[in-house]
Amino acid sequence: MKNSPGKSEELFWQLAHDLLSEPGVTRGTMMGYPCLRSDGAFFACVERRTGNLVAKLPGPRVRGLVVAGRAVPFAPNGRTFKEWAAFPDRDRKKWAAVLDEARRFVSGEAHEQL
């Protein structure tokens, strides 16, 4: 499903609800976007202009997702962030898995791939 920024942000916060009950997970803003942090480290946000979910993942993982067509590079102002992937399709199940993987990545926990 194509993103509408408002609906994307709504879905983001619905999915974030359970994560926010975990120790150290808080909400905030990153570059003006609503975001989630784990022990102060940013791990996911919604890009308001596009409605994309943006998540922090290991660089090789991001490259693999982009090559597979499952994500696009996150490149605000033309600068690509190597450990950040943007997910244009609003899909509850996929977004939930991405949020969990990103939280575990910034927390230093072992993680499974989507």
Side-chain angles (χ1 to χ4, degrees), residues 40-98:
F42 297 112
F43 70 91
C45 69
V46 173
E47 189 178 19
R48 284 193 168 134
R49 182 181 54 80
T50 63
N52 292 347
L53 170 65
V54 179
K56 185 168 186 167
L57 300 168
R61 176 78 169 126
V62 169
R63 287 188 299 279
L65 288 164
V66 170
V67 167
R70 296 175 66 195
V72 296
F74 178 58
N77 302 315
R79 179 178 168 249
T80 300
F81 286 62
K82 295 177 183 177
E83 288 192 324
W84 289 87
F87 296 84
D89 293 327
R90 189 175 64 236
D91 179 289
R92 177 178 289 277
K93 185 176 177 182
K94 290 177 184 174
W95 277 27
V98 168

